């Protein structure tokens, strides 16, 4: 559809802010400045949803009834339910000036959102808020599906402070989009999700027109959602911070450098790469779907400006401008990008070992989960839907304490020793349960069994339904035996969705109608005897065909010469009918006998094989007419009965889908519980306090790959925030009832927000950093953690600079990739974020790297009450020893303990790694010892030790490298003495034929010695 053009074009008119009445819910002025919209609608009257947008709605005829009050802005507050609202108060006569002003105000309230769904449920989303001139991009969410799209539809745009208020007061402050853009390549389910009645696609009935939706839905061509197009559009966005950037990064390109950085002196260069570098520091450029959605939004904005403004209009430059590009995360979900998932090894796929099973795409590659945190639990899920849901748990950790504690409570109950019997029963039953969504799809298509698949009827639709009904009833009975599970949400859900009568009915009718042994033998669906009398009669007649054929064969043999009657047969082919079979004559290829001489007694030749000839006569035709279609009639009747059975089963479609989904949820929760028992994990204490307190923490993957693992402690406390005492008191008074494991809001805990870890190479610093992040990550998944005890505060983001994912497809160096990761962490960090920095600055010159690392740590510490929790590791000891990073209460130091024995003969024996975290700093990295342990030649290691010692003594390393050692001096003296003896020889008196050559050599050597 096309957007409606306003009746008048604006010519240089100034944009005024509309007057919006105050909302019933209080909002602070800081929220008004920080939120992408100045006014939000309280959900106190959630039933008053905007149904019409005045700026694009057709005129309402007089006398028409009004079901809901109409407002001029979709974001303006609505009157409370039950209040008297007259028609005259809502619809007033408006002149052209009022209409034009209203249309301008409506354009400021535009919220344009683009959504894309591809690659097995990966969701990308981007939206633009016209009033704030901001473009918001979301990290691509894998395995998201319609659930995430529905959340994107109410994308949170409030500040961090108000988001905390919203969580405590259970008030969801969302922005409803006014325009939604979808790609033509998006799945039909997404289109149906946004427009269930197809109102946006037009209808003859005016009740089904597009204006019934609270937003405009446009289906745009897929090229507008392309990744490359989105990058180009984003590079053209004017970002405010770039105006003060005085650094230009020019590379050879197709365009000249006549832009804000270039002066045209060096044609053939462009700053596109420089813009891309700066943009990568703000948003995650690896989110391909979201970048494509951003391109679609910017294309839509450009099209709107071209339609609504005349060329050269001054107002066009201010309308729909984009001043800022930011990332956002969905409410209730932890923000985790691809770098964090790769660095922490949350998910890691391995290709199939057989080359023929390595498909060209990820969908056909048959890859499996490798050594990853998710892989430790993946095999514990028994159902397909459980494996899928478990993957969603690990891809999208939750920030909802109720959700997290519910998962932890479930695991805790099932891990009780007295619940081991029902747990094993449920796990065994889950192994036999298939995904009913796939079964229902096959039923709707009329597919009874999977032709050509392994297992045949045993893995077909009817066998799956019978097993599903049988084992779900087993699960229902077993979960009733679980002790102390009365308050578990999953048990309540199982008892509500597992409707015993309906499941028993499904299992009974399937077992009564389908003959599974006969179906397995015949490789098709066979109906049991006694189901249909007509079918039973036909089957009885068909089963007697063998006796009929014997009798008919004897009758025909009596009319055939004796020498040919012994080898005569009457057979039946379902596709051809009844036939007479005779041996063929090797000489002629014809049968020895082909009927009598009379016309009605001759046999009709049908076909021949190598040794037999097949005929039809009048008796065979009579059998064809009476019994020839019997097999086809039986098959058709069975198909009809099976179809009726399928229609009967589809009456329970919703119930089956809900039970299957509940089985998947139960399976995923039990996988977390079994993993906790298998890997000796403990329940974390989740709290709203902004702290991380870990005792005896371990790295979940590391301890599985080494003989022994050393446990270590961690304590961090993030910034308390900028809440005033009155605000904190109000928040405490309005805190909802939570589980005993959940603490109240209390940010008064004193502790360091940054922990700097030093120590030798190979001492376990990186493992320590990752283990802290993994424990926090697993706690938000709702999983038990590898520690003795752990208290974890709600964390909104985990941002890492650990692994440098280099590839030739990215036009960045390794150090540039590190810088972009750090820039993104600085851009997105809040006081509830956890940031892991591992040896940042090592990719460049040592002084530059030390300066950048020190500046980065100082930046996070300087955020005051909004400082995030940071765990960093570095080898730049000079930034501490020279006082560049001053000690303060918010900064703590730790090191990995080693035992040093300098009297050891071998360098590699001088240090013993204990992998034990201790407070305080180390003063050396012992890189030479690590080099010796890894096979570097001793001469190189010894020379490195000498240079390190000279550097520590303040000596000039250039002069030191120019100084010869005692051995080198002796070698030089021997060489000089040999040369002097050679020069003393008299080669002119020699009559050797090579005397001239020796004389020349002697003169040359003399010149060298003199020099």
């Amino acid at each position: 559809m096309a957007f409606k053009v306003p009746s008048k074009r604006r010519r240089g008119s100034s944009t005024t802010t509309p007057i919006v009445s105050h909302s019933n819910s209080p909002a602070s002025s800081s929220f008004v400045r920080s939120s992408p919209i100045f006014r939000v609608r309280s959900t106190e009257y959630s039933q008053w949803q905007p149904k019409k947008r005045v700026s694009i709605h057709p005129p309402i005829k007089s006398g028409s009834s009004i079901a809901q009050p109409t407002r001029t802005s979709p974001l303006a507050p609505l009157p409370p339910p039950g209040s008297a609202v007259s028609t005259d108060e809502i619809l007033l006569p408006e002149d052209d000036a009022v209409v034009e002003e209203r249309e301008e105000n409506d354009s400021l309230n535009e919220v344009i959102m683009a959504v894309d769904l591809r690659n097995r449920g990966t969701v990308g989303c981007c939206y633009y808020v016209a009033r704030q001139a901001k473009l918001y991009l979301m990290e691509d969410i894998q395995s998201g599906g319609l659930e995430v799209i529905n959340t994107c539809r109410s994308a949170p745009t409030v500040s961090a402070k108000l988001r905390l208020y919203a969580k405590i007061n259970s008030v969801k402050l969302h922005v409803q989009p006014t325009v939604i853009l979808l790609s033509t390549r998006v799945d039909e389910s997404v289109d149906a999700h946004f427009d269930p009645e197809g109102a946006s696609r037009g209808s003859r009935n005016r009740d089904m027109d597009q204006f019934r939706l609270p937003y405009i839905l446009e289906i745009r061509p897929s090229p507008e959602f392309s990744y490359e197009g989105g990058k180009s559009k984003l590079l053209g966005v004017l970002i405010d911070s770039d105006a003060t950037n005085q650094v230009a990064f020019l590379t050879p390109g197709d365009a000249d450098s006549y832009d804000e950085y270039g002066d045209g002196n060096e044609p053939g260069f462009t700053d596109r790469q420089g813009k891309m570098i700066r943009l990568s520091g703000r948003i995650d450029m690896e989110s391909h779907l979201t970048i494509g959605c951003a391109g679609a939004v910017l294309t839509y904005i450009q099209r709107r400006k071209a339609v609504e403004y005349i060329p050269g209009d001054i107002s066009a430059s201010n309308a729909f401008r984009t001043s800022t590009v930011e990332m956002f995360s969905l409410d209730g979900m932890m923000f985790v990008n691809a770098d964090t998932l790769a660095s922490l090894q949350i998910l890691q796929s391995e290709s199939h070992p057989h080359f023929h099973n390595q498909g060209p795409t990820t969908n056909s590659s048959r890859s499996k989960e490798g050594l990853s945190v998710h892989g430790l639990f993946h095999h514990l899920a028994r159902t397909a839907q459980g494996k899928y849901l478990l993957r969603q748990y690990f891809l999208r950790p939750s920030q909802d304490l109720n959700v997290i504690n519910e998962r932890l409570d479930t695991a805790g109950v099932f891990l009780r020793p007295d619940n081991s019997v029902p747990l094993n029963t449920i796990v065994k039953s889950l192994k036999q349960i298939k995904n009913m969504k796939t079964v229902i799809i096959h039923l709707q298509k009329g597919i009874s069994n999977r032709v050509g698949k392994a297992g045949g009827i045993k893995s077909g639709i009817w066998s799956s339904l019978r097993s599903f009904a049988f084992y779900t009833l087993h699960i229902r009975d077993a979960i009733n035996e679980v002790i102390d599970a009365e308050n578990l949400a999953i048990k309540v859900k199982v008892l509500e969705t597992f409707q015993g009568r309906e499941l028993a009915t499904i299992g009974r009718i399937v077992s009564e109608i389908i003959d599974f042994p006969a179906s397995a033998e015949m490789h098709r669906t066979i109906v049991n005897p006694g189901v249909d009398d007509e079918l039973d009669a036909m089957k009885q007649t068909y089963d007697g065909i063998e006796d009929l054929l014997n009798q008919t064969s004897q009758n025909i043999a009596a009319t055939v010469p004796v020498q040919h009657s012994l080898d005569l047969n009457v057979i039946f082919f379902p596709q051809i009918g009844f036939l007479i079979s005779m041996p063929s004559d090797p000489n002629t290829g014809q049968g020895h006998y082909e009927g009598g001489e009379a016309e009605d007694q001759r046999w009709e030749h049908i076909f021949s094989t190598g040794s037999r000839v097949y005929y039809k006569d009048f008796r065979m035709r009579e059998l064809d007419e009476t019994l020839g279609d019997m097999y086809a009639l039986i098959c058709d009747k069975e198909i009809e009965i099976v179809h009726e059975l399928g229609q009967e089963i589809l009456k329970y479609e919703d119930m089956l889908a809900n039970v299957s989904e509940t089985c998947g949820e139960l399976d995923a929760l039990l996988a977390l519980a079994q993993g906790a028992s298998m890997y000796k994990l403990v329940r974390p204490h989740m709290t709203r306090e902004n702290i991380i307190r870990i005792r005896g923490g371990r790295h979940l993957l590391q301890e599985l790959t080494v003989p022994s693992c050393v446990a270590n402690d961690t304590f961090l406390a993030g910034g308390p925030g900028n809440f005033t005492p009155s605000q904190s008191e109000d928040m405490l008074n309005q805190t909802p009832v939570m589980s005993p494991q959940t603490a109240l809001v209390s940010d008064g805990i004193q502790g360091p927000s940054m922990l700097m870890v030093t120590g030798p190479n190979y001492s376990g610093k990186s493992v320590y950093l990752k283990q802290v992040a993994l424990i926090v990550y697993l706690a938000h998944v709702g999983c038990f953690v590898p520690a003795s005890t752990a208290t974890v505060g709600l964390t909104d983001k985990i941002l890492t600079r650990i692994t440098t994912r280099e590839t030739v497809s990215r036009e960045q160096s390794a150090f540039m990739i590190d810088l972009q990761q750090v820039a993104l962490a600085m851009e997105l960090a809040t006081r509830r974020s956890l940031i892991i920095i591992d040896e940042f600055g090592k990719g460049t010159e040592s002084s530059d790297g030390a300066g950048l690392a020190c500046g980065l740590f100082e930046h996070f510490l300087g955020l005051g009450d909004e400082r995030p929790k940071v765990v960093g590791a570095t080898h730049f000891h000079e930034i501490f020893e020279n006082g560049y990073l001053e000690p303060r209460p918010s900064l703590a130091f730790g090191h990995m303990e080693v035992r040093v024995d300098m009297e050891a003969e071998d360098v590699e024996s001088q240090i013993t790694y204990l992998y034990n975290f201790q407070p305080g700093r180390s003063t050396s990295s012992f890189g030479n010892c690590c080099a010796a342990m890894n096979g570097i030649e001793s001469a190189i290691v010894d020379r490195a030790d000498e240079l390190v010692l000279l550097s520590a003594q303040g000596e000039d390393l250039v002069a030191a490298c120019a100084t010869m050692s005692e051995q080198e001096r002796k070698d030089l003296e021997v060489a000089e003495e040999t040369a002097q003896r050679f020069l003393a020889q008299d080669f002119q008196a020699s009559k050797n034929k090579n005397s001239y050559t020796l004389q020349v050599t002697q003169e040359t050597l003399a010149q060298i010695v003199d020099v």
Side-chain angles (χ1 to χ4, degrees):
M1 61 162 288
F3 193 86
K4 183 178 179 181
V5 183
S7 57
K8 294 185 179 181
R9 292 194 174 186
R10 296 176 283 275
R11 296 178 179 272
S13 60
S14 60
T15 304
T16 59
T17 304
I19 299 175
V20 182
S21 59
H22 295 288
S23 174
N24 292 329
S25 59
S28 62
S29 59
S30 61
F31 166 68
V32 174
R33 291 191 298 269
S34 62
S35 175
I37 59 169
F38 286 159
R39 298 289 184 266
V40 296
R41 175 173 49 81
S42 175
T43 58
E44 183 178 357
Y45 312 116
S46 58
Q47 64 269 32
W48 291 87
Q49 296 292 336
K51 298 298 182 182
K52 298 177 180 179
R53 296 175 59 245
V54 178
S55 61
I56 62 173
H57 199 282
I60 302 178
K61 297 180 181 181
S62 60
S64 61
S65 61
I66 301 175
Q68 292 184 352
T70 307
R71 52 182 179 157
T72 59
S73 170
L75 303 175
L78 287 169
S83 60
V85 182
S86 65
T87 305
D88 296 335
E89 292 175 348
I90 299 175
L91 298 177
L92 298 176
E94 297 178 341
D95 54 17
D96 293 342
V98 175
V99 173
E100 183 174 356
E101 181 180 0
R102 186 190 64 203
E103 289 175 348
E104 287 197 21
N105 294 338
D106 282 341
S107 65
L108 292 176
N109 293 325
E110 293 284 353
V111 180
I112 305 166
M113 184 177 76
V115 178
D116 202 2
L117 173 66
R118 298 183 191 175
N119 302 332
R120 290 188 175 183
T122 301
V123 178
C125 178
C126 172
Y127 69 95
Y128 168 80
V129 181
R131 184 175 295 278
Q132 285 286 328
K134 288 185 178 181
L135 187 68
Y136 292 86
L137 289 85
M138 180 184 73
E139 180 85 10
D140 280 358
I141 298 180
Q142 301 181 30
S143 303
L146 294 178
E147 177 187 353
V148 171
I149 290 180
N150 191 43
T151 309
C152 293
R153 195 169 149 186
S154 302
T157 56
V158 297
S159 63
K161 183 185 299 185
L162 263 293
R163 187 177 295 115
L164 184 57
Y165 273 108
K167 290 178 182 178
I168 296 176
N169 298 330
S170 299
V171 178
K172 303 298 183 183
L173 302 178
H174 299 300
V175 174
Q176 297 291 336
T178 59
V179 179
I180 296 179
L181 308 176
L182 298 178
S183 170
T184 54
R185 295 181 56 185
V186 77
D187 191 84
E188 293 181 358
S189 60
V190 180
D191 188 11
H193 180 77
F194 285 110
D195 188 6
E197 300 179 354
S200 66
R201 293 181 285 275
S203 173
R204 292 183 180 180
N205 184 358
R206 291 190 58 83
D207 293 337
M208 292 289 291
D209 65 9
Q210 60 188 351
F211 300 108
R212 291 195 61 184
L213 296 173
Y215 44 77
I216 296 175
L217 180 62
E218 284 203 19
I219 310 298
R220 301 303 307 166
S222 58
E224 293 185 7
F225 287 79
S226 67
Y227 175 66
E228 294 298 330
K231 285 199 305 183
S232 300
K233 294 291 183 182
L234 286 172
L235 291 178
V237 173
L238 177 62
I239 301 177
D240 294 340
S241 61
D242 287 345
T244 59
N245 196 331
Q246 302 298 324
V247 179
F249 183 81
L250 301 181
T251 57
D254 298 330
D256 295 340
S257 54
Y258 291 93
D259 49 27
E260 66 267 28
Y261 300 118
D263 55 5
N265 295 329
E266 298 181 5
F269 286 81
T270 177
D271 70 330
R272 174 185 171 89
Q273 184 64 22
K275 291 182 178 179
M276 180 64 68
I277 294 172
R278 292 191 295 276
L279 189 62
S280 299
R282 290 177 173 267
I283 61 177
D284 184 8
M285 298 303 293
E286 296 299 313
S287 298
H288 286 212
L289 293 187
T290 295
I291 299 299
C293 290
V297 171
L298 295 174
T299 302
Y300 177 85
I301 291 173
Q302 291 178 351
R303 186 168 58 252
R304 284 279 301 274
K305 292 172 66 175
V307 170
E308 296 185 11
Y309 296 90
I310 62 176
D313 194 341
I314 301 177
S315 300
S317 59
N318 295 326
F320 294 109
R321 64 186 182 90
T322 305
S323 62
T324 306
V325 179
E326 296 181 3
M327 298 287 293
F328 79 94
S329 58
L330 297 181
D331 190 26
M333 292 169 49
M334 178 190 289
F335 178 88
V336 181
N337 59 7
D339 287 325
T340 300
L341 292 176
S343 300
L344 301 182
Q345 290 182 265
I346 303 298
L347 291 97
Q348 185 173 345
S349 298
E350 290 183 356
S351 299
H352 197 280
H354 198 285
F355 176 78
H356 293 286
N357 289 329
Q358 297 177 6
T361 64
T362 56
N363 295 338
S364 60
S365 62
R366 295 190 183 180
S367 60
K368 65 175 182 177
E369 192 69 28
L371 180 61
S372 64
V373 178
H374 170 250
L376 299 181
F377 298 86
H378 174 76
H379 68 282
L380 299 175
R382 268 63 183 189
T383 64
Q385 56 269 38
K387 293 178 184 294
Y388 178 81
L389 187 59
L390 183 65
R391 182 179 177 87
Q392 287 186 319
Y393 286 172
F394 278 91
L395 283 174
R396 299 198 297 273
S398 177
Q399 292 188 71
D400 190 334
L401 276 177
N402 294 327
V403 173
I404 296 173
N405 283 320
E406 180 60 34
R407 296 175 185 174
L408 296 175
D409 291 341
T410 303
V413 168
F414 279 99
L415 287 178
R416 291 181 49 165
D418 47 0
N419 286 331
S420 59
V421 174
L423 174 62
N424 294 331
T425 301
I426 295 175
V427 170
K428 291 179 180 179
S429 299
L430 286 171
K431 292 180 181 180
Q432 309 300 325
I433 289 179
K434 302 291 182 65
N435 189 358
M436 283 298 105
K437 291 185 178 180
T438 304
V439 172
I440 291 172
I441 292 174
H442 286 170
L443 278 178
Q444 293 171 343
K445 294 179 179 180
I447 302 174
S448 295
N449 52 9
R450 301 186 300 175
V451 179
K453 297 291 184 179
I457 193 66
K458 294 182 180 179
S459 60
I461 301 302
W462 307 117
S463 179
S464 299
L465 278 170
R466 186 178 64 168
S467 299
F468 183 82
F470 178 79
Y471 287 105
T472 49
L473 292 176
H474 267 250
I475 293 175
R476 179 185 174 92
D477 295 337
I479 205 168
N480 279 322
E481 300 175 2
V482 178
I483 300 174
D484 199 22
E486 292 75 14
N487 297 325
L488 293 183
I490 188 62
K491 179 180 179 179
V492 175
K493 192 172 183 179
V494 167
L495 297 180
E496 290 179 353
T497 57
F498 286 36
Q499 301 176 16
R501 179 176 299 178
E502 286 78 1
L503 290 171
T505 300
I506 292 174
R508 177 179 54 80
I509 61 177
V510 171
S511 299
E512 290 177 352
I513 293 178
I514 305 300
D515 187 347
F516 289 97
S519 298
E521 181 181 355
M522 300 297 294
H523 302 287
R524 65 180 183 87
T525 305
I526 305 297
V527 177
N528 270 322
V531 175
D532 186 88
D533 295 338
E534 182 182 355
L535 177 63
D536 293 342
M538 288 190 293
K539 284 188 174 182
Q540 185 176 2
T541 302
Y542 184 79
D543 293 339
I545 286 181
E546 184 175 354
D547 296 334
L548 177 63
L549 293 179
N550 292 332
Q551 183 63 38
T552 304
S553 176
Q554 294 176 7
N555 295 336
I556 296 176
T559 63
V560 175
V562 178
Q563 64 271 23
H564 304 304
S565 62
L566 297 178
D567 204 6
L568 183 144
N569 293 322
V570 177
I571 63 176
F572 172 74
F573 287 102
Q575 296 83 1
I576 302 176
F578 293 89
L579 298 173
I580 300 173
S581 174
M582 289 285 290
S584 62
D585 188 348
N587 299 324
T588 63
Q590 301 295 325
H592 294 290
Y593 182 79
E594 295 185 347
E597 297 293 336
E599 185 68 25
D600 57 347
Q601 294 181 354
R602 291 183 180 178
W603 296 353
E604 179 186 358
H605 180 268
I606 302 301
F607 67 92
S608 302
T609 60
S611 60
R612 309 288 295 184
V613 184
Y614 299 88
Y615 301 92
K616 274 186 181 293
D617 67 348
F618 67 96
R619 289 161 293 194
M620 298 297 104
R621 293 186 179 91
E622 290 177 358
L623 291 176
D624 288 342
E625 293 176 359
T626 57
L627 302 176
D629 294 334
M630 185 65 64
Y631 183 80
L633 291 175
I634 292 173
C635 292
D636 292 343
K637 190 63 178 178
E638 287 183 328
I639 291 174
E640 181 182 346
I641 295 173
V642 170
H643 176 73
E644 293 176 356
L645 174 61
Q647 295 304 311
E648 183 67 22
I649 296 297
L650 287 176
K651 294 179 181 179
Y652 305 96
E653 175 182 350
D654 294 337
M655 186 272 294
L656 289 173
N658 292 334
V659 173
S660 178
E661 182 180 351
T662 304
C663 287
E665 183 177 353
L666 177 62
D667 191 20
L669 294 174
L670 293 185
L672 294 178
Q674 294 174 84
S677 174
M678 183 178 298
Y679 306 118
K680 297 180 177 59
L681 310 182
V682 300
R683 173 171 182 157
H685 175 77
M686 297 301 298
T687 176
R688 296 186 186 276
E689 297 173 347
N690 194 13
I691 63 169
I692 299 174
R693 181 183 287 111
I694 302 171
R695 298 185 184 278
R698 313 183 308 275
H699 193 290
L700 188 56
L701 296 177
Q702 181 72 14
E703 67 175 343
L704 297 177
T705 58
V706 296
S708 61
C709 183
V710 180
N712 291 299
D713 301 341
T714 305
F715 176 67
L716 289 171
N722 293 322
F723 296 109
T724 63
S726 61
Q727 291 173 336
S728 299
E729 183 178 356
D730 293 339
M731 292 164 58
L732 287 170
N733 294 334
Q734 298 176 3
T735 301
V737 178
M738 294 171 291
S739 63
Q741 290 79 12
T742 305
L744 297 178
V745 177
S746 176
D747 284 326
I749 296 180
Q750 299 295 327
S753 64
M754 178 178 291
L755 175 61
M756 294 302 305
V757 182
T758 58
N761 298 102
Y762 196 66
S763 62
K765 298 188 300 298
S766 298
V767 172
Y768 178 79
L769 267 61
K770 293 178 182 179
Q771 100 179 16
V772 174
L774 274 179
I775 291 175
V776 175
Y777 193 98
L778 288 173
H780 285 76
V781 170
C783 177
F784 284 23
V785 299
S788 299
T789 61
T791 300
V792 180
L794 286 179
T795 304
D796 60 354
K797 303 178 185 70
I798 296 181
L799 305 167
T800 62
R801 204 322 307 155
I802 300 177
T803 304
T804 304
R805 298 187 301 146
E806 294 185 76
T807 172
V808 294
S809 62
R810 301 176 65 177
E811 299 178 357
Q812 294 101 358
S813 65
F815 183 60
M816 189 177 295
I817 295 174
D818 294 349
L819 291 171
Q820 290 176 357
Q821 293 176 351
V822 168
L824 189 64
M826 295 172 63
E827 181 75 17
L828 302 180
T830 66
R831 71 184 189 92
R832 287 199 171 271
S833 301
L834 173 62
I835 302 176
I836 307 297
I837 307 293
D838 189 11
E839 298 185 18
F840 172 65
K842 63 182 179 181
T844 185
E845 200 271 331
S846 59
S847 59
D848 293 341
L852 287 171
C854 182
L856 175 64
F857 300 141
E858 187 66 44
H859 166 78
F860 287 127
L861 290 171
L863 295 178
D865 291 341
E866 295 298 323
R867 62 187 181 273
K869 301 178 288 292
V870 182
V871 184
T874 184
H875 289 288
F876 294 125
H877 301 280
E878 57 267 29
I879 64 178
F880 311 118
E881 296 173 353
N882 297 329
Y884 299 136
L885 195 63
E886 298 179 356
R888 65 202 78 181
S890 58
L891 175 62
F893 293 96
H895 68 279
M896 305 307 293
E897 187 178 7
V898 295
R899 179 173 297 174
V900 181
D901 182 12
M902 301 306 297
E903 298 180 357
E905 297 181 359
D906 299 330
V907 178
E908 58 267 25
S909 302
Q910 294 178 357
I911 183 171
T912 302
Y913 297 96
L914 303 179
Y915 306 108
N916 187 28
F917 177 82
Q918 293 292 335
R921 291 193 296 110
S922 67
T923 57
S924 176
S925 295
F926 296 96
N928 296 335
C929 296
C930 187
M933 293 174 60
N934 286 274
I936 303 299
E937 294 184 4
S938 58
I940 298 176
V941 175
D942 294 341
R943 181 57 172 166
D945 285 335
E946 295 177 2
L947 295 178
V948 169
L949 181 60
L950 291 174
S951 177
Q953 295 174 352
E955 299 290 341
D956 186 2
L957 293 182
V958 176
C961 292
T963 304
M964 292 185 296
S965 64
E966 185 64 26
Q967 183 63 36
E968 291 175 340
R969 187 182 301 277
K970 291 180 179 180
D971 294 341
L972 183 60
E973 291 177 354
V974 172
E976 183 178 4
E977 181 181 357
T978 302
Q980 293 292 345
R981 292 173 58 189
F982 178 76
L983 293 174
Q985 297 296 323
D986 185 8
F987 294 105
Q988 295 181 355
S990 174
K991 296 182 179 180
N992 192 328
K993 59 181 179 180
N994 295 327
S995 61
Y996 176 75
T997 304
L998 294 174
Q999 181 179 357
V1000 173
T1001 303
Q1002 186 180 30
E1003 294 175 356
T1004 304
L1005 185 59
Q1007 294 176 1
I1008 294 175
V1009 173
D1010 292 340
V1011 172

